Amino acid sequence: NAGVTQTPKFQVLKTGQSMTLQCAQDMNHEYMSWYRQDPGMGLRLIHYSVGAGITDQGEVPNGYNVSRSTTEDFPLRLLSAAPSQTSVYFCASTNLGTQAYGYTFGSGTRLTVV
Amino acid sequence: AQKVTQAQTEISVVEKEDVTLDCVYETRDTTYYLFWYKQPPSGELVFLIRRNSFDEQNEISGRYSWNFQKSTSSFNFTITASQVVDSAVYFCAPQGGSEKLVFGKGTKLTVNP
């Protein structure tokens, strides 16, 4: 099993550019989420989804959009990148109600906005 | 909403010492889960343990042990006979009925040879 796959691993954007961070899982997990990790801040929840067609905001949603058209994919869109969005982004998934093995995380995307 | 405090920002120990990482959480949920994750220097997040709020038994897994005290809202993590490979950032994370996992700011553990 591939688990949770994030692409790209690294990205440099100019201020104002847009891009999509991809996240795909092959474990048929209902729940998927996006976090950003900044030094000294831990991981903060951006958006999450409990199933295809359902998304909701987390702690820091501003500047980001998500959609969930399939169970497998949960892309994160930056519509107009800002330097404040420089961060490491993690995607995570789990089965609802049975997180016996915790959430599975992707390997992360390191984004720099200049 | 959940909230978690990991008061120790950084800890440095010498190999073979025991070390305890503290975690204090807040939640309004009556049923919740508590997680610990490890983030080694390579950056990935590694699941260590999940504890149900109804289960207050302490748990031991090899050199790792966890002490859950519901009365003080604490879920502390002890590494016995630490090794250099234990060097990492460790995150405590409660999760309530909304399925959202809320992370603490983490404790960076450095184990020196």
Side-chain angles (χ1 to χ4, degrees):
Chain A
N1 279 348
V4 177
T5 302
Q6 286 185 238
T7 56
K9 292 191 183 303
F10 302 94
Q11 183 70 49
V12 179
L13 286 180
K14 293 183 179 179
T15 298
Q17 286 185 320
S18 62
M19 81 159 294
T20 299
L21 308 186
Q22 302 291 346
C23 176
Q25 52 90 10
D26 61 358
M27 298 169 286
N28 204 32
H29 284 170
E30 302 100 329
Y31 182 92
M32 296 185 73
S33 56
W34 277 102
Y35 289 87
R36 60 177 289 172
Q37 184 177 23
D38 303 297
M41 298 295 293
L43 281 82
R44 293 181 292 170
L45 183 64
I46 305 171
H47 285 285
Y48 66 99
S49 168
V50 297
I54 305 169
T55 64
D56 207 346
Q57 296 180 350
E59 181 185 357
V60 288
N62 292 340
Y64 307 95
N65 279 355
V66 292
S67 60
R68 186 93 180 270
S69 56
T70 67
T71 300
E72 296 77 20
D73 299 299
F74 191 45
L76 179 72
R77 297 185 189 86
L78 284 70
L79 300 178
S80 179
S84 60
Q85 294 178 304
T86 294
S87 188
V88 180
Y89 292 85
F90 287 97
C91 179
S93 73
T94 190
N95 271 325
L96 290 174
T98 57
Q99 296 91 350
Y101 299 101
Y103 292 64
T104 302
F105 282 83
S107 57
T109 295
R110 186 174 293 275
L111 175 68
T112 302
V113 183
V114 298
Chain B
Q2 283 71 240
K3 182 181 175 183
V4 57
T5 301
Q6 294 182 254
Q8 305 147 308
T9 305
E10 294 192 40
I11 300 175
S12 182
V13 299
V14 176
E15 206 168 19
K16 297 185 182 177
E17 283 187 33
D18 298 346
V19 57
T20 295
L21 310 182
D22 297 332
C23 172
V24 175
Y25 62 91
E26 295 177 29
T27 180
R28 295 180 183 175
D29 293 308
T30 54
T31 301
Y32 53 91
Y33 296 96
L34 297 164
F35 293 81
W36 275 93
Y37 278 85
K38 173 183 180 180
Q39 188 176 41
S42 52
E44 74 271 24
L45 285 151
V46 179
F47 166 75
L48 294 178
I49 190 172
R50 181 195 81 152
R51 174 48 50 88
N52 185 312
S53 57
F54 289 123
D55 182 2
E56 292 195 60
Q57 282 190 336
N58 291 333
E59 182 153 344
I60 298 175
S61 177
R63 297 184 296 107
Y64 296 169
S65 62
W66 290 268
N67 181 275
F68 178 32
Q69 298 277 348
K70 199 169 183 178
S71 60
T72 57
S73 297
S74 66
F75 187 41
N76 297 336
F77 172 34
T78 297
I79 301 174
T80 302
S82 61
Q83 300 176 1
V84 173
V85 293
D86 295 327
S87 296
V89 180
Y90 290 87
F91 293 99
C92 177
Q95 177 245 317
S98 66
E99 310 289 352
K100 290 185 286 187
L101 195 62
V102 177
F103 283 83
K105 294 184 178 182
T107 297
K108 182 179 181 180
L109 173 66
T110 301
V111 181
N112 298 299

